[in-house]
């Protein structure tokens, strides 16, 4: 009989957010009248900016005429979007990139999951814990994780615990890490790293010939001045880091799908003979074989986020969500619960009082009909924590906080 990839058997039964959805559905069946407010998955609620919609419509119309119709586009993305990214997201921060270094995709989730394919299975992977589950699970699927131990850690992965005790600052790995996943502003803790703190990681990677996989999906939420928007703001990072960014949380593209990945040309890794190879070529090879690009209208829509009007509307949405974050934090003050994050990120990380993450999940669902995400779903160090997102509407956010304040913890 055909054999399966047994690495999949090491994984939990379902993906975190699928498990939460199942639980909500069960609750809904038993309580059909319940008015559930979701502050679980980090999904945006505000519509696409008008400037984006207009560009999107026009591009769809182009597809209707033989003169302007587009078939396959470049697998790496259309130059107009890649140029707009370089000009708007990097140049103003003093980062020089070439067109070849920018790869458009349909999501940072896919890119952060797929990137491990271009690296040897023998690499040691370090991840901050708790973390967005995709990094760990894609490596487990590829065979770098092995089975889970009693603590819920996969044997082959180096865990870097980030808890209130170390102020959510990941410790440098004790054993040598070849690949290091960093996500800042952080999902799920909502905390951030200053330039000096991030520099320690770039220095570590340079000293140890490691590669940093830097997920900057929440970059647009940064409010404070000393927080870097790109890892490439740190000197030397172009030699050691791949950066992932997304239009999802920045411009409301969670359902539209558009993101990009930067693979600098000077970034290299070795083969087993010690010969160096540019990772840019490998990623390009992978993408041209396995990916046919993002649809033309979506890329036009993404480019419209950089227009003056687009920028204005995006900033308005970010401000709206960050005001939700402020409201959540303000209201949590009255509950006596300890909480973190929500200043440079749309996530608020609550310490669960004398109960597990899942017990806290059940309590909030049953007593307030509010859904959040149990910290343990993001890794063993997330046990004892719980995540709320600021992505719901103002009305629902306020209502949810009023309900939570009535609970006795
Ligand atoms: C989350 O809730 O952690 C994110 O929305 C998930 C994602 O971006 O895929």
């Amino acid at each position: 009989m055909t054999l399966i990839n047994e690495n999949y058997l090491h994984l939990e039964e379902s993906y975190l957010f699928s498990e939460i959805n199942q639980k909500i559905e069960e609750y809904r069946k038993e309580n059909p009248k319940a008015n559930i407010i979701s502050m679980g998955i980090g999904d945006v609620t505000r519509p696409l900016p008008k400037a984006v919609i207009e560009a999107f419509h026009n591009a769809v119309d182009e597809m209707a005429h033989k003169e302007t119709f587009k078939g396959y586009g470049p697998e790496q993305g259309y130059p107009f979007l890649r140029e707009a990214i370089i000009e708007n997201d990097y140049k103003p921060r003093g980062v020089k990139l070439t067109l070849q270094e920018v790869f458009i995709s349909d999501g940072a989730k896919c890119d952060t999951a797929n990137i491990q394919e271009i690296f040897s299975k023998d690499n040691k992977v370090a991840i901050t814990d708790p973390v967005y589950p995709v990094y760990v699970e894609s490596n487990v699927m590829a065979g770098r994780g092995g089975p889970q131990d009693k603590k819920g850690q996969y044997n082959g992965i180096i865990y870097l615990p980030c808890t209130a005790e170390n102020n959510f600052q990941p410790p440098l790995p004790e054993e040598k890490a070849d690949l290091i996943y960093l996500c800042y502003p952080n999902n799920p803790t909502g905390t951030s790293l200053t330039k000096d703190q991030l520099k320690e990681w770039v220095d570590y990677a340079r000293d140890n010939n490691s590669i940093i996989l830097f997920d900057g999906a929440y970059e647009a939420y940064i409010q404070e001045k000393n927080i870097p928007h790109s890892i490439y703001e740190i000197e030397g990072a172009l030699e050691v880091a791949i950066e992932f960014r997304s239009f999802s949380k920045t411009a409301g593209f969670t359902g539209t799908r558009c993101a990009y990945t930067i693979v600098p040309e000077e970034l290299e890794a070795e083969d087993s003979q010690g010969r160096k190879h540019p990772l840019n070529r490998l990623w390009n090879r992978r993408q041209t074989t396995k990916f046919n690009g993002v649809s033309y209208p979506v890329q036009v829509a993404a480019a419209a986020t950089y227009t003056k009007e687009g920028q204005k509307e995006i900033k308005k949405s970010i401000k709206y969500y960050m005001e939700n974050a402020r409201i959540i934090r303000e209201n949590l003050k009255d509950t006596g619960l300890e909480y973190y994050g929500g200043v440079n990120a749309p996530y608020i990380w609550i310490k669960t009082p004398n109960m597990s993450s899942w017990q806290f999940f059940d309590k909030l669902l049953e007593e307030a009909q509010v859904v959040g995400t149990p910290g343990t779903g993001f890794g063993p160090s997330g046990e004892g924590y719980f995540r709320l997102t600021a992505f719901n509407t103002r009305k629902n956010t306020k209502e949810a906080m009023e309900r939570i304040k009535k609970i006795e913890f």
Side-chain angles (χ1 to χ4, degrees):
M1 198 181 255
T2 310
L3 298 173
I4 58 159
N5 174 357
E6 286 193 28
N7 295 316
Y8 275 65
L9 304 179
H10 299 312
L11 297 167
E12 302 286 341
E13 181 77 14
S14 38
Y15 181 60
L16 172 63
F17 293 107
S18 317
E19 186 178 354
I20 291 170
N21 282 340
Q22 270 168 24
K23 285 213 171 226
I24 299 170
E25 278 322 302
E26 277 162 30
Y27 183 83
R28 246 191 242 287
K29 258 192 215 139
E30 280 163 34
N31 307 274
K33 291 215 180 97
N35 171 15
I36 298 171
I37 299 179
S38 175
M39 294 162 96
I41 190 160
D43 196 3
V44 292
T45 50
R46 285 172 68 81
L48 290 173
K50 272 199 198 72
V52 169
I53 286 293
E54 221 174 271
F56 209 173
H57 274 297
N58 291 340
V60 170
D61 285 342
E62 283 185 56
M63 299 300 260
H65 305 284
K66 66 175 185 307
E67 296 77 20
T68 46
F69 168 78
K70 304 266 186 305
Y72 290 126
E75 294 95 338
Q76 303 82 354
Y78 283 100
F80 66 79
L81 178 55
R82 293 151 80 201
E83 264 156 27
I85 288 165
I86 294 173
E87 287 301 310
N88 293 281
D89 289 347
Y90 290 98
K91 216 170 175 185
R93 303 204 176 273
V95 181
K96 283 202 195 102
L97 294 177
T98 64
L99 217 57
Q100 284 66 29
E101 296 175 306
V102 186
F103 294 85
I104 309 298
S105 79
D106 61 348
K109 181 179 187 173
C110 332
D111 284 356
T112 54
N114 292 332
I115 196 76
Q116 47 75 33
E117 268 186 39
I118 64 169
F119 298 101
S120 160
K121 186 175 157 292
D122 299 332
N123 283 309
K124 266 302 213 188
V125 174
I127 52 123
T128 57
D129 171 31
V131 81
Y132 182 40
V134 172
Y135 319 147
V136 178
E137 296 190 357
S138 55
N139 276 287
V140 171
M141 289 170 177
R144 292 187 198 88
Q148 254 176 316
D149 64 16
K150 279 202 202 82
K151 279 199 286 186
Q153 297 190 341
Y154 290 99
N155 284 335
I157 307 260
I158 304 169
Y159 287 79
L160 310 168
C162 299
T163 59
E165 284 70 42
N166 63 8
N167 214 7
F168 302 97
Q169 302 302 315
L172 291 170
E174 281 168 20
E175 87 186 89
K176 185 186 171 317
D178 303 304
L179 292 171
I180 302 158
Y181 288 82
L182 296 177
C183 170
Y184 287 97
N186 188 251
N187 177 17
T189 65
T191 58
S192 44
L193 291 185
T194 62
K195 263 192 186 148
D196 288 344
Q197 286 163 338
L198 189 55
K199 184 177 179 304
E200 283 184 36
W201 286 92
V202 171
D203 291 347
Y204 173 92
R206 295 179 79 184
D207 293 345
N208 291 278
N209 287 320
S210 320
I211 304 279
I212 297 174
L213 303 168
F214 189 80
D215 186 350
Y218 299 94
E219 168 274 334
Y221 292 84
I222 295 172
Q223 309 291 313
E224 293 178 323
K225 286 230 154 47
N226 60 342
I227 310 297
H229 286 249
S230 163
I231 191 165
Y232 304 128
E233 288 176 46
I234 315 292
E235 208 192 317
L238 284 164
E239 290 158 36
V240 294
I242 292 176
E243 179 161 289
F244 306 90
R245 292 265 196 108
S246 169
F247 293 94
S248 283
K249 316 291 155 95
T250 304
F253 273 60
T254 54
T256 308
R257 312 304 307 147
C258 200
Y260 64 87
T261 290
I262 307 295
V263 188
E265 300 206 71
E266 58 239 78
L267 194 59
E268 292 180 324
E270 279 178 5
D271 63 23
S272 53
Q273 313 296 315
R275 287 177 299 230
K276 292 197 160 94
H277 299 270
L279 293 175
N280 183 286
R281 299 298 121 74
L282 263 61
W283 184 243
N284 189 50
R285 189 71 181 83
R286 192 258 171 220
Q287 289 299 80
T288 47
T289 304
K290 296 196 175 184
F291 185 59
N292 251 340
V294 175
S295 82
Y296 172 71
V298 168
Q299 292 193 58
V300 171
T305 64
Y306 294 112
T307 59
K308 208 168 147 211
E309 213 30 57
Q311 282 294 300
K312 213 168 99 192
E313 291 178 71
I314 285 170
K315 294 215 167 92
K316 209 167 127 197
S317 283
I318 305 268
K319 206 167 152 202
Y320 177 94
Y321 293 133
M322 288 314 283
E323 174 61 10
N324 283 351
R326 193 196 62 77
I327 290 169
I328 295 170
R329 288 188 294 118
E330 274 307 303
N331 280 284
L332 284 173
K333 272 187 196 156
D334 301 338
T335 63
L337 293 166
E338 274 176 50
Y339 59 91
Y340 309 89
V343 177
N344 293 301
Y347 295 127
I348 291 90
W349 193 236
I350 299 171
K351 182 112 192 61
T352 61
N354 303 317
M355 63 182 95
S356 74
S357 299
W358 276 110
Q359 282 168 338
F360 193 82
F361 174 92
D362 290 335
K363 191 172 169 72
L364 242 60
L365 181 57
E366 276 154 29
E367 296 181 28
Q369 285 80 52
V370 172
V371 173
T373 311
T376 183
F378 297 102
S381 296
E383 180 54 283
Y385 293 91
F386 190 81
R387 192 190 76 175
L388 288 181
T389 86
F391 284 124
N392 214 312
T393 60
R394 177 82 82 252
K395 186 165 166 276
N396 279 348
T397 304
K398 283 185 173 165
E399 167 72 21
M401 296 320 292
E402 285 310 314
R403 293 188 200 168
I404 290 173
K405 279 200 293 191
K406 292 198 185 105
I407 299 178
E408 245 180 69
F409 291 107

